[in-house]
Amino acid sequence: ADAAAIAEARAHQDRLTKPRGALGALEDVAVRLAGASAVSPPPLPVPPALAIFAADHGVHARGVSPWPQEVTLQMVGNFLAGGAVANAFAAQVGASVTVVDVGVAADLDPAPGLRISKVAYGTADMSRGPAMTVEQATAALEVGITVARDLVGEGARCLVTGDMGIANTTASAALICAFTGHDAAAATGRGTGADDETLERKIGVVREALRANGLVGAEGGPSRAPALETLAAVGGLEHAAIAGFILGGAACGVPVILDGVIAGSAALAAAALAPAAIDHCVAGHRSAEPGHAVVLDHLGLRPMVELELRLGEGTGGLLAHPLVCAAVRAMHEVATFDSAGVTDKEA
Amino acid sequence: ADAAAIAEARAHQDRLTKPRGALGALEDVAVRLAGASAVSPPPLPVPPALAIFAADHGVHARGVSPWPQEVTLQMVGNFLAGGAVANAFAAQVGASVTVVDVGVAADLDPAPGLRISKVAYGTADMSRGPAMTVEQATAALEVGITVARDLVGEGARCLVTGDMGIANTTASAALICAFTGHDAAAATGRGTGADDETLERKIGVVREALRANGLVGAEGGPSRAPALETLAAVGGLEHAAIAGFILGGAACGVPVILDGVIAGSAALAAAALAPAAIDHCVAGHRSAEPGHAVVLDHLGLRPMVELELRLGEGTGGLLAHPLVCAAVRAMHEVATFDSAGVTDKEA
């Protein structure tokens, strides 16, 4: 982050016709984006573009989700038909929607709005060994980087992460344990609606996956495995692609609004690969998944929205976009005490 | 609220292509608005209209704010020139901005976007007796009702409350104490930036105002004075107008998004006068003022945004508008499991 732009942004906030600090966390996000973009005020993050990375998970066979695997494919169809919540929220905030098949366990027909960049027909079962080879994880990362670069090339000035993949909160939980050292019980949640029995099984499967891949850190700390190997071992193809999407967005210099726990666990991988990329990230919301709070705390990110969403698809990230926009817009449009002739109590 | 519309809205939420409850608090707000409008899905709350009610406060003379009283007038000028944060946020969400002089302690020149409906040149000092006569409070209520009716008549389908009045958090604190029975220390905050000494003085002044107006309830409970007398005794002209704005919006059947502690304390008066009006209210945010949490708890309202804003003007209400819109939009636009051919785990 650019220290001079941060200092200038903070000073500018204090000249605006409002009590100092009165915009709370919105002032902080605008200042952070000034640092990331190295200019104050930072550019307005419009238009936004949502990319929904879809993939399947071998670990689904272990009974970690109440939903059948084919729902991944069915929901891709729903996104392309404009019928999902992500479509409604994208329309609300003026975001384009791109669906990326990075690993759905079925062949998809070409369609407008769909990018077929399939690396594999889903991952292998991580509870028995690596979910992906390092080559597959790298290929999925590259898919994300390319999508980010292409969307920015087409005019997007803000990227929003989205995901679809039945069982992907199980992979997220394992990534969170490996990267932060938290126990599976603290990082694993009910996802899209696991009952008590399924949740218990899911926690056990996460523990198995960590052991099977040698990702249990010494004395309960994080694993010392290289980030890319960790991502390959217990991540999903969409997690790897989202990590790449974050890296690509950061490289292009645009803000990346993270959705929920899937994006958060992918951001842990991105942070391990290139810590400065997180300067470009805004936590769109904090989901109901317990592991998401662990992620946000680990990355030091304050969520914009806290409404107990647990849907994914990018919905929480989309909801945050108008808030991020408002934070930046205030820096562009609000008068200063001097220019407006308003008495400043601090002056 | 209409029980049939609420039941239909809840059932409709459960048919949409998302796990049940996955939109968290957004599902609840959409269901509440269905009940308020007696139709499911409820109408999209667009376009929104912001009304900023501006007034001055006799209690300012007691040194409860670090800002000089003329800042109320200066900020009205800033709103009319488009230079305030409220203007930037209104532009962000497509809201019109109407400034209402309901009690500024100076004469204002006519200007586009300004309604001059002055009831008095500010209130009297509530620490020595009633801030307003009951007639003045009634007149200010009627101003708010009229503004609501006019804005809806001009096409608004969602109202957002705004306020400007140096020292108005002191009046809010007294209203909160009188209506909820909380102690002044729990209901009084730093407003736009009171230091420790000013905060202590402010708490003492709130206590004096409650005693001077006979509003100290038995055994620490709420005052038993009639709502209109309480509002007149320790409210501000903008508080009374906002209470009327809430009643007017509810009577017109449109959602009213409440901003922060000023709107919240006005909503306590509106709730005391007509409890059903609160069915139409959405808490836009929870501000950093401690009294605001007391209000939201008392009214049973869940805030949409929690970002430690403490600005007023309607800024927190405006930020919530896209979230409320997204909640309603999901009910209109999202496909059902049946229509989209997505497998429902509950079916």
Side-chain angles (χ1 to χ4, degrees):
Chain A
D2 187 286
I6 287 175
E8 167 52 24
R10 187 63 73 191
H12 186 68
Q13 288 282 4
D14 288 349
R15 287 190 296 268
L16 301 180
T17 46
K18 60 173 182 52
R20 281 166 186 58
L23 288 179
L26 291 186
E27 297 193 17
D28 298 330
V29 78
V31 168
R32 284 188 67 233
L33 293 181
S37 63
V39 59
S40 173
L44 276 175
V46 288
L50 170 69
I52 304 176
F53 296 92
D56 280 307
H57 297 265
V59 76
H60 181 271
R62 296 294 308 277
V64 292
S65 170
W67 298 81
Q69 186 171 68
E70 58 264 31
V71 170
T72 302
L73 177 67
Q74 292 168 348
M75 284 301 298
V76 166
N78 201 14
F79 297 135
L80 295 173
V85 177
N87 299 99
F89 287 9
Q92 175 64 35
V93 306
S96 62
V97 179
T98 302
V99 182
V100 183
D101 170 14
V102 67
V104 179
D107 284 312
L108 287 158
D109 292 326
L114 173 66
R115 289 175 69 130
I116 301 178
S117 305
K118 199 190 294 287
V119 172
Y121 289 87
T123 53
D125 178 359
M126 68 176 179
S127 69
R128 288 164 189 183
M132 296 177 268
T133 63
V134 167
E135 290 68 29
Q136 287 175 323
T138 304
L141 265 170
E142 286 171 355
V143 167
I145 293 171
T146 303
V147 171
R149 197 185 52 205
D150 289 353
L151 290 174
V152 174
E154 291 161 15
R157 289 298 171 264
C158 181
L159 301 179
V160 182
T161 73
D163 70 275
M164 184 68 222
I166 297 300
N168 64 8
T169 57
T170 305
S172 283
L175 287 170
I176 293 165
C177 293
F179 281 114
T180 73
H182 276 72
D183 182 70
T188 309
R190 294 178 188 275
T192 47
D195 59 17
D196 288 350
E197 190 188 328
T198 306
L199 176 60
E200 201 171 327
R201 184 163 53 238
K202 189 171 168 181
I203 293 169
V205 168
V206 170
R207 289 214 174 95
E208 278 183 60
L210 294 167
R211 276 198 303 269
N213 288 285
L215 293 177
V216 180
E219 294 173 14
S223 155
R224 307 187 73 169
L228 197 56
E229 283 178 26
T230 300
L231 180 61
V234 295
L237 289 150
E238 75 274 48
H239 295 80
I242 292 171
F245 192 62
I246 292 166
L247 298 177
C252 292
V254 302
V256 180
I257 303 182
L258 307 177
D259 186 30
V261 72
I262 310 303
S265 57
L268 292 175
L273 292 166
I278 302 304
D279 292 342
H280 293 264
C281 293
V282 175
H285 80 128
R286 182 171 65 197
S287 84
E289 279 294 286
H292 197 199
V294 171
V295 166
L296 296 177
D297 185 52
H298 188 84
L299 294 175
L301 294 176
R302 156 80 187 243
M304 292 286 100
V305 171
E306 299 182 64
L307 294 169
E308 282 93 53
L309 305 185
R310 49 183 176 80
L311 178 55
E313 307 179 356
T315 50
L318 290 167
L319 288 177
H321 182 262
L323 303 177
V324 177
C325 233
V328 173
R329 191 185 267 264
M331 292 195 70
H332 285 269
E333 298 185 2
V334 174
T336 61
F337 283 105
D338 280 351
S339 73
V342 174
T343 307
D344 180 2
K345 83 174 170 80
E346 314 280 345
Chain B
D2 186 286
I6 287 175
E8 166 53 25
R10 188 64 72 190
H12 185 69
Q13 288 282 3
D14 288 349
R15 287 190 297 268
L16 301 179
T17 45
K18 59 174 182 53
R20 281 164 185 60
L23 289 179
L26 291 186
E27 296 194 17
D28 299 330
V29 78
V31 169
R32 284 187 67 232
L33 293 181
S37 63
V39 59
S40 173
L44 277 176
V46 287
L50 170 69
I52 304 175
F53 296 92
D56 280 307
H57 296 265
V59 76
H60 181 271
R62 297 295 307 276
V64 292
S65 170
W67 298 81
Q69 187 171 65
E70 58 263 32
V71 169
T72 302
L73 177 67
Q74 292 169 347
M75 283 302 296
V76 166
N78 200 14
F79 297 135
L80 295 172
V85 177
N87 301 98
F89 286 10
Q92 175 65 34
V93 306
S96 62
V97 179
T98 302
V99 182
V100 184
D101 171 13
V102 68
V104 179
D107 285 313
L108 287 158
D109 292 326
L114 173 66
R115 289 175 68 128
I116 301 179
S117 305
K118 198 190 295 286
V119 172
Y121 289 87
T123 53
D125 177 0
M126 67 175 180
S127 69
R128 287 162 190 185
M132 296 176 268
T133 63
V134 167
E135 290 69 28
Q136 287 175 323
T138 305
L141 264 170
E142 286 171 354
V143 167
I145 293 171
T146 303
V147 171
R149 198 184 53 206
D150 289 353
L151 290 174
V152 174
E154 291 161 14
R157 289 299 171 264
C158 181
L159 302 178
V160 182
T161 73
D163 70 275
M164 183 68 223
I166 297 301
N168 64 7
T169 57
T170 306
S172 283
L175 287 170
I176 293 165
C177 292
F179 281 115
T180 72
H182 276 72
D183 183 69
T188 309
R190 293 177 188 276
T192 46
D195 59 18
D196 289 350
E197 189 189 329
T198 305
L199 176 60
E200 201 172 325
R201 184 163 54 237
K202 189 171 168 181
I203 293 169
V205 168
V206 170
R207 290 214 175 95
E208 277 183 61
L210 294 167
R211 275 198 303 269
N213 289 283
L215 293 177
V216 181
E219 293 173 14
S223 155
R224 307 185 75 171
L228 197 57
E229 284 177 26
T230 301
L231 181 61
V234 296
L237 289 151
E238 76 274 48
H239 296 80
I242 292 171
F245 192 63
I246 292 166
L247 298 177
C252 293
V254 302
V256 181
I257 303 182
L258 307 177
D259 187 30
V261 73
I262 309 303
S265 58
L268 292 175
L273 292 167
I278 302 303
D279 292 342
H280 293 263
C281 293
V282 175
H285 80 127
R286 182 171 66 196
S287 83
E289 279 293 287
H292 197 199
V294 171
V295 166
L296 296 176
D297 186 52
H298 189 84
L299 294 175
L301 295 176
R302 155 80 187 244
M304 293 286 100
V305 171
E306 300 181 65
L307 294 169
E308 282 94 51
L309 304 186
R310 50 183 175 80
L311 178 54
E313 305 179 359
T315 50
L318 290 167
L319 288 177
H321 182 263
L323 303 178
V324 176
C325 232
V328 174
R329 191 185 266 263
M331 292 195 71
H332 286 269
E333 299 184 4
V334 174
T336 62
F337 284 105
D338 279 351
S339 74
V342 173
T343 307
D344 180 2
K345 82 175 169 80
E346 314 280 346

